[in-house]
Structures are given as C-alpha cells and as structure tokens.
Amino acid sequence: MNKAQSKLLWTHLSIAKVIQKTINIKHNTKLLDIDMAILIFIGSHNRIAITRIVKHKYFKQYGLSTIKRSVGRLISLNIVEQGEWKLDERKKLLSVNFDVVNMEDL
C-alpha cells in the first residue's frame, strides 16, 4: 500500500462511517460494522444469496448465524430486499434498496 492508496481507502472508510451513522439516526437503530460490510458487499454485486456472502474470504471469520442475523437486521430495516430466484425458489436473492440508502434522503 502506498500513500495515495491510503488516502483513497481513508476517504471510502469515512464515507461508509457517515452512511452508517446516518442510517442509525434515521432508523433509530445501531448498525454494526459487520452490517455495513454486508450492506456494501450486497450493494457491490447484482442480486446475491447468503451462501455467496458466507463463502467469501472477507467473511470467513464470521459464523453463518452472525451473517444471517446481520442480513435479517438489514431486511427488517428495509435497507436490503429479498427476492426469489426463478430457477430455484428456495434460494433468496438479496439486493440493496438504494432508495432507502440514498444519501440525499438521509
């Protein structure tokens, strides 16, 4: 890592913390860092399932129940939406509700 990369990473981390704080205030809740990591991960992919989150190397240190609890918290706040996959109705696909997370609204 060099100085330019450090500055870029700090900028992104600062933005993520502002979003996290704003969501906490707007929804009267307390999002954890794992919640934000999962929210960012889901938002950076097109409709993914919990299994893909669990299998990603970033989330290896977290248990399945922790990830499920975090996803459940995001769904209950309407920040993440859950839809069915047409090929396998048992698989639930996740996507971020960007209308709720839009910074102008927060």
Side-chain angles (χ1 to χ4, degrees), residues 18-69:
V18 167
I19 292 170
Q20 181 178 5
K21 184 178 178 182
T22 308
I23 290 172
N24 286 343
I25 292 169
K26 181 179 179 186
H27 292 282
N28 194 26
T29 190
K30 175 74 172 127
L31 286 184
L32 306 173
D33 289 341
I34 182 67
D35 300 335
M36 283 304 294
I38 289 175
L39 176 64
I40 293 167
F41 185 77
I42 293 170
S44 67
H45 293 79
N46 291 331
R47 300 173 36 145
I48 62 168
I50 287 181
T51 53
R52 188 160 172 204
I53 298 170
V54 171
K55 291 179 181 179
H56 193 276
K57 63 183 175 184
Y58 180 87
F59 299 104
K60 287 287 185 195
Q61 64 186 345
Y62 300 102
L64 176 62
S65 61
T66 301
I67 292 171
K68 282 184 168 182
R69 191 171 32 254

